[in-house]
């Protein structure tokens, strides 16, 4: 049994898998989720349940948050009985959500005001890497706090990178998700163009995957394209959110505007927000 007691708030598909890995590694884990049914799998495996966020941080040495957006993250820090509502000087808060760099800077300053430590640690990778413990973890904050958290990151990912002060991790995450969006839309357009000219999906994907243009994300998404099935490993609505955050953070490169427009239309007009981002091919096929 590891000595640190770990708290985890936010048990979506990613958060649940990551908290389970810490539990399997021998850490004592306490969880909190507004929808209590999402706690059951972890509590059945030995995790404890906190009645609220204040109990979570009071009881634990390190508390992770992994939530859907900036508003949700700010809420768990600021609300009555939230993470900063008690006297917990010196404890470490780690936010693994994908948020704006300015939000991470805000949370860092707010935590410091309450004499608590904070680092941001968004991840590159989706549900399967979360389950497998092979995420890439992008860290911003103090180097000292990174060193404290690194044994935990070693459980959760195959690599953690210390990138600088608060905001750096979020900036890196938005950059890699921009590249993700480009890859996905480019794959969709390539397959559809090939089909229009008599080349099957199977053959075009073989050409891509066996050649220099193949990459990890294309190989991962190939079965979805072939089967025309898009269960959400990374929901399309979240790439829209992240591209908007990147735009707000200053992204204005030539491909960024049409990329955001396409995914936004696929969500708003195509009704594909809850499907995997690769479902953008369904929108483009009809556009």
């Amino acid at each position: 049994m590891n000595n640190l007691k770990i708290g985890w708030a936010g048990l979506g598909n990613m958060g649940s898998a990551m908290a389970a890995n810490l539990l399997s590694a021998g850490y004592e884990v306490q969880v909190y989720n507004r929808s209590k049914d999402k706690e059951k799998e972890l509590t059945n495996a030995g995790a404890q349940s906190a009645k609220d966020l204040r109990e979570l941080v009071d009881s634990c040495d390190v508390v992770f948050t992994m939530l859907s957006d900036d508003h949700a993250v700010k809420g768990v820090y600021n609300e009555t009985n939230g993470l900063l509502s008690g006297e917990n000087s010196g404890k470490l808060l780690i936010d693994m959500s994908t948020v704006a760099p300015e939000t991470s800077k805000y949370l860092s300053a707010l935590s410091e005001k309450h004499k608590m430590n904070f680092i941001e640690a968004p991840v590159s990778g989706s549900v399967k890497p979360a389950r497998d413990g092979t995420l890439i973890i992008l860290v911003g904050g103090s180097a000292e706090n990174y060193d404290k958290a690194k044994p935990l990151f070693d459980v959760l990912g195959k690599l953690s990178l210390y990138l600088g002060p608060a905001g750096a991790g979020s900036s890196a995450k938005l950059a890699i998700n921009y590249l993700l969006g480009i890859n996905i839309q480019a794959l969709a357009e390539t397959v559809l163009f090939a089909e229009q000219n008599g080349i099957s999906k199977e053959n075009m994907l073989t050409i891509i995957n066996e050649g220099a243009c193949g990459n990890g994300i294309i190989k991962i998404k190939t079965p979805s394209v072939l089967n025309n099935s898009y269960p959400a490993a990374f929901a399309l609505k979240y790439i829209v959110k992240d591209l908007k955050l990147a735009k707000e953070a200053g992204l204005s490169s030539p491909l960024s505007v049409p990329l955001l427009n396409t995914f936004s239309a696929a969500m708003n007009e195509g009704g594909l927000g809850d499907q995997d981002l690769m479902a953008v091919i369904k929108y483009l096929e009809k556009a």
Side-chain angles (χ1 to χ4, degrees):
M1 177 71 70
N2 292 291
N3 290 328
L4 286 178
K5 184 171 182 180
I6 309 302
W8 197 287
L11 297 174
N13 291 335
M14 296 281 288
S16 293
M18 295 162 76
N21 285 341
L22 290 168
L23 194 61
S24 297
Y27 287 97
E28 186 178 355
V29 176
Q30 188 173 43
V31 297
Y32 173 77
N33 199 82
R34 294 191 194 283
S35 302
K36 289 298 180 181
D37 60 306
K38 291 188 176 181
E39 296 181 359
K40 288 180 181 177
E41 185 175 345
L42 286 162
T43 54
N44 288 342
Q48 300 170 350
S49 174
K51 68 178 181 181
D52 57 25
L53 291 162
R54 180 163 183 169
E55 180 182 305
L56 187 73
V57 73
D58 285 349
S59 302
C60 297
D61 303 296
V62 179
V63 175
F64 287 88
T65 51
M66 193 162 198
L67 300 157
S68 59
D69 57 34
D70 298 56
H71 177 75
V73 178
K74 288 178 179 178
V76 301
Y77 276 73
N78 284 320
E79 67 187 48
T80 303
N81 292 328
L83 295 179
L84 298 177
S85 61
E87 296 295 329
N88 287 290
S89 177
K91 293 192 177 183
L92 178 59
L93 305 175
I94 302 175
D95 182 42
M96 304 194 83
S97 316
T98 300
V99 297
E102 289 304 315
T103 293
S104 288
K105 293 175 186 177
Y106 165 78
L107 295 175
S108 179
L110 192 63
S111 299
E112 184 177 356
K113 183 178 178 181
H114 286 80
K115 299 182 180 179
M116 296 178 71
N117 299 308
F118 172 88
I119 51 176
E120 56 169 351
V123 301
S124 179
S126 57
V127 176
K128 187 176 187 303
R131 289 178 183 146
D132 295 343
T134 58
L135 295 163
I136 298 172
I137 301 170
L138 312 172
V139 184
S142 78
E144 180 182 1
N145 287 328
Y146 168 65
D147 289 339
K148 291 177 184 176
K150 190 174 185 304
L152 302 173
F153 294 150
D154 289 344
V155 172
L156 299 174
K158 65 180 180 181
L159 175 67
S160 63
L161 292 170
Y162 175 67
L163 299 169
S170 295
S171 295
K173 177 61 189 288
L174 296 180
I176 195 63
N177 277 13
Y178 173 54
L179 180 59
L180 171 65
I182 290 173
N183 269 270
I184 294 297
Q185 183 166 335
L187 175 61
E189 291 181 2
T190 297
V191 168
L192 291 173
F193 173 67
E195 280 195 304
Q196 289 166 8
N197 288 278
I199 309 301
S200 70
K201 288 179 181 177
E202 291 82 357
N203 283 336
M204 194 64 234
L205 285 163
T206 298
I207 294 166
I208 296 168
N209 285 321
E210 295 299 323
C213 290
N215 61 38
I217 193 63
I218 291 176
K219 287 180 171 66
I220 289 169
K221 298 304 180 186
T222 289
S224 290
V225 176
L226 291 176
N227 297 324
N228 193 32
S229 176
Y230 304 99
F234 181 48
L236 188 146
K237 62 187 176 184
Y238 293 133
I239 196 67
V240 174
K241 171 188 74 86
D242 294 350
L243 291 171
K244 287 180 178 178
L245 290 176
K247 180 181 179 182
E248 291 167 5
L251 178 65
S252 59
S253 52
L255 293 178
S256 63
V257 174
L259 188 71
L260 175 56
N261 289 344
T262 298
F263 280 104
S264 295
M267 179 178 71
N268 296 324
E269 298 166 24
L272 300 169
D274 290 325
Q275 296 188 43
D276 190 75
L277 79 168
M278 192 66 243
V280 72
I281 194 171
K282 294 166 67 175
Y283 170 76
L284 290 169
E285 192 171 23
K286 297 176 181 178

